Amino acid sequence: MQTNLNDHGAPTDLVVVAQGTPDEMESLALVLEAVGIPFHSDQNADQLLVPFAHAPDALFHLGEYRRENARWPSRPPPASSPLSAQAQPTVPVLLLLALFFDLTGPWTPGNAWFLRGSLDSTAVIGHGEWWRLFTALTLHADLAHLAGNCLIGGTVIHLLGRMIGFGQCWLMLVLTGALGNLANICMRQQPHLAVGFSTSVFAAIGMLTGLQLARSSSRSAKELLLPLGAGAGLLAFLGSEGVRTDLGAHLFGFACGLACGWSGKRCGLIAHLQAPGWQVPLFLLALAAPIAAWMRALA
């Protein structure tokens, strides 16, 4: 409510309680209006004035308003890392897997490629043939097995590569895939044979989940459960069907990817290796690991 003016158009017995931009004065005027304190708005000087007797109350209410709104609007959560504009080698690498399948053929008794390169728990644990952890990722039981991994994995891996850089993405896929293979055979009581890139595919899903968990700042139950639920849902939907499905490989691949994504993001390693200059060297290292493993397997 505006106060009275004298005969010359000037406010009577008023003191200045606020001064600032027109928008600020408009907001503060609404505060005085709400608490019933008479005021005069001097638009020329961008000031609010109140009668001397009401000045203490006006200053109190205006001060409370400023304190309550000092942190509004609230600071937005940290933005997700922008997606990389670098070209992604997802399709060329999946084509390499397809060409390698054309060379090896399907998994049949006596196939030398599978005898030398499959994930054989007895050979790895009993005879120290570590290279099988890597070579098994490049072998597929049949064409349907290969197509499933390429179709499911292509989309997820492409997204992960754009998020953290293609070189870092592929190196982590190779390492977490091998680690998932190791966990898969170590946790079993009986001899186990397996092949396929799906361990790395589900490691990619786990990494995406871990990255989202690491971005959570308030650690509320909702922020923790949503990405975990999404990742577990994908694992159940994509990785648990089929008679020949190796659920252990999918589960341990997902777990290794989850741990890698969360810890790498929290310690800053992923952010450090995300720089464009790292991508080609890391990608070449990712390609070198299975090549070196096959050289050892065929030696």
Side-chain angles (χ1 to χ4, degrees):
M1 61 185 72
Q2 294 278 0
T3 190
N4 296 325
L5 304 178
N6 61 20
D7 294 339
H8 302 287
T12 59
D13 191 28
L14 300 181
V15 294
V16 177
V17 292
Q19 184 171 5
T21 66
D23 287 342
E24 291 173 343
M25 294 304 98
E26 183 176 352
S27 297
L28 296 179
L30 291 175
V31 174
L32 297 179
E33 184 92 34
V35 296
I37 296 178
F39 67 91
H40 171 70
S41 178
D42 186 343
Q43 297 181 353
N44 294 325
D46 291 327
Q47 294 178 335
L48 284 179
L49 305 95
V50 301
F52 180 80
H54 293 280
D57 287 341
L59 291 172
F60 171 78
H61 288 293
L62 294 179
E64 288 295 302
Y65 172 80
R66 289 190 178 100
R67 278 190 292 274
E68 291 176 0
N69 292 273
R71 297 182 180 180
W72 190 91
S74 59
R75 183 178 299 177
S80 301
S81 301
L83 296 179
S84 170
Q86 288 184 307
Q88 300 294 314
T90 311
V91 173
V93 174
L94 295 181
L95 285 176
L96 284 177
L97 282 177
L99 290 174
F100 192 62
F101 175 78
D102 185 60
L103 174 65
T104 65
W107 196 355
T108 55
N111 187 320
W113 290 97
F114 290 84
L115 291 175
R116 297 287 188 91
S118 64
L119 181 65
D120 184 337
S121 59
T122 302
V124 174
I125 299 174
H127 303 289
E129 297 182 5
W130 56 266
W131 54 86
R132 292 176 180 269
L133 302 174
F134 296 91
T135 55
L137 296 172
T138 66
L139 294 171
H140 289 86
D142 51 38
L143 186 58
H145 187 203
L146 171 69
N149 282 336
C150 290
L151 291 175
I152 296 173
T155 302
V156 178
I157 293 170
H158 187 79
L159 175 60
L160 181 63
R162 293 197 64 192
M163 289 180 64
I164 67 175
F166 67 89
Q168 179 172 209
C169 168
W170 280 101
L171 181 59
M172 285 189 171
L173 289 180
V174 171
L175 296 179
T176 53
L179 187 59
N181 279 340
L182 179 61
N184 188 28
I185 59 176
C186 286
M187 297 299 290
R188 294 178 181 271
Q189 300 296 326
Q190 299 175 344
H192 183 66
L193 292 173
V195 293
F197 191 63
S198 57
T199 311
S200 290
V201 170
F202 284 91
I205 296 175
M207 275 189 272
L208 289 173
T209 305
L211 290 172
Q212 186 61 37
L213 284 174
R215 289 194 186 100
S216 175
S217 57
S218 66
R219 293 293 182 273
S220 67
K222 181 180 179 181
E223 288 182 324
L224 293 174
L225 290 176
L226 279 178
L228 277 176
L234 283 173
L235 175 64
F237 180 71
L238 300 174
S240 60
E241 295 294 330
V243 176
R244 300 177 65 183
T245 297
D246 190 345
L247 181 58
H250 298 172
L251 176 62
F252 289 113
F254 177 82
C256 291
L258 176 68
C260 179
W262 184 85
S263 59
K265 183 70 174 180
R266 295 293 294 173
C267 74
L269 179 61
I270 287 179
H272 177 70
L273 296 180
Q274 197 172 343
W278 279 104
Q279 301 318 305
V280 172
L282 294 178
F283 180 67
L284 294 177
L285 187 58
L287 292 179
I291 292 174
W294 270 114
M295 292 175 65
R296 180 65 182 83
L298 298 175

